[in-house]
Amino acid sequence: EAGVVQSPRYKIIEKKQPVAFWCNPISGHNTLYWYLQNLGQGPELLIRYENEEAVDDSQLPKDRFSAERLKGVDSTLKIQPAELGDSAVYLCASSLGGTGGEQYFGPGTRLTVT
Amino acid sequence: QQPVQSPQAVILREGEDAVINCSSSKALYSVHWYRQKHGEAPVFLMILLKGGEQKGHDKISASFNEKKQQSSLYLTASQLSYSGTYFCGTEMLGYALNFGKGTSLLVTP
């Protein structure tokens, strides 16, 4: 079974430029998560989707970050404009849904903002 | 609320045992454990649900003390492949996982 797919794996952009990340979750997984991971830290939730609905986006900086999950499958996370402090690894994860379910993570996108 | 993990780092020789602790100040529904190797995605190890159960696979096991809101991960007879950073994620009913800062484990030959 294919795992969570993310692209690109690496991205280098200049500050103030836009950037987008793409995630394809495991087939049949209704819940999709976007996390941000800084060096030496654990993943921090940005947004959680149940099917197409964003059920938890309280930690998403909405002035510059946006996300969508059309048709309840693939998802895109966008930053516009990027700032130096956005440099981090952006992880996508998926799960079957419901409380207490294991999450499966993608390889992440390492973003460097110069 | 972010759980607190201890120790921050540990170095073992192959075959030695280790315990990693995770504690929360909030009433938890479940505790998740993940291992992440450098440059890779976190990999799911196990979930412990409210009820104080203990789980394990291979030589890695964990317990959850819901009275103390603490979980411990036990690695016995460590192998080189156990090296990585271990994260606990704590879950309150209806809320998303909160991950700790991680415990870096290095197993040497």
Side-chain angles (χ1 to χ4, degrees), chain B residues 95-108:
Chain B
Y95 293 86
L97 279 183
N98 271 311
F99 285 93
K101 291 187 176 182
T103 295
S104 176
L105 179 77
L106 176 64
V107 181
T108 62

Side-chain angles (χ1 to χ4, degrees), chain B residues 23-74:
Chain B
S23 64
S24 172
S25 59
K26 302 288 186 181
L28 301 175
Y29 176 80
S30 69
V31 179
H32 300 217
W33 285 97
Y34 290 81
R35 175 172 61 210
Q36 185 176 32
K37 294 182 181 286
H38 183 69
E40 299 181 9
V43 173
F44 169 77
L45 293 176
M46 64 189 76
I47 290 178
L48 298 108
L49 300 177
K50 182 178 171 181
E53 63 178 298
Q54 185 154 347
K55 279 193 174 182
H57 73 89
D58 199 9
K59 293 176 181 174
I60 300 176
S61 62
S63 63
F64 176 25
N65 184 328
E66 64 179 290
K67 287 185 180 179
K68 294 184 177 180
Q69 305 305 325
Q70 290 178 351
S71 179
S72 294
L73 186 71
Y74 307 95

Side-chain angles (χ1 to χ4, degrees), chain A residues 39-111:
Chain A
L39 192 64
Q41 302 291 319
E44 300 170 34
L45 182 70
L46 290 172
I47 189 167
R48 173 168 64 107
Y49 283 93
E50 293 287 347
N51 299 304
E52 296 155 339
E53 183 182 359
V55 296
D56 185 352
D57 63 357
S58 57
Q59 302 302 312
L60 189 73
K62 298 181 184 64
D63 57 336
R64 298 185 300 107
F65 286 65
S66 64
E68 60 181 12
R69 190 184 185 196
L70 300 176
K71 299 182 181 179
V73 181
D74 295 0
S75 178
T76 303
L77 178 69
K78 297 179 182 177
I79 308 175
Q80 182 170 9
E83 297 179 352
L84 294 176
D86 295 332
S87 294
V89 175
Y90 291 82
L91 293 165
C92 178
S94 69
S95 70
L96 284 172
T99 305
E102 56 263 41
Q103 297 182 24
Y104 295 88
F105 285 82
T109 297
R110 181 175 295 278
L111 174 68

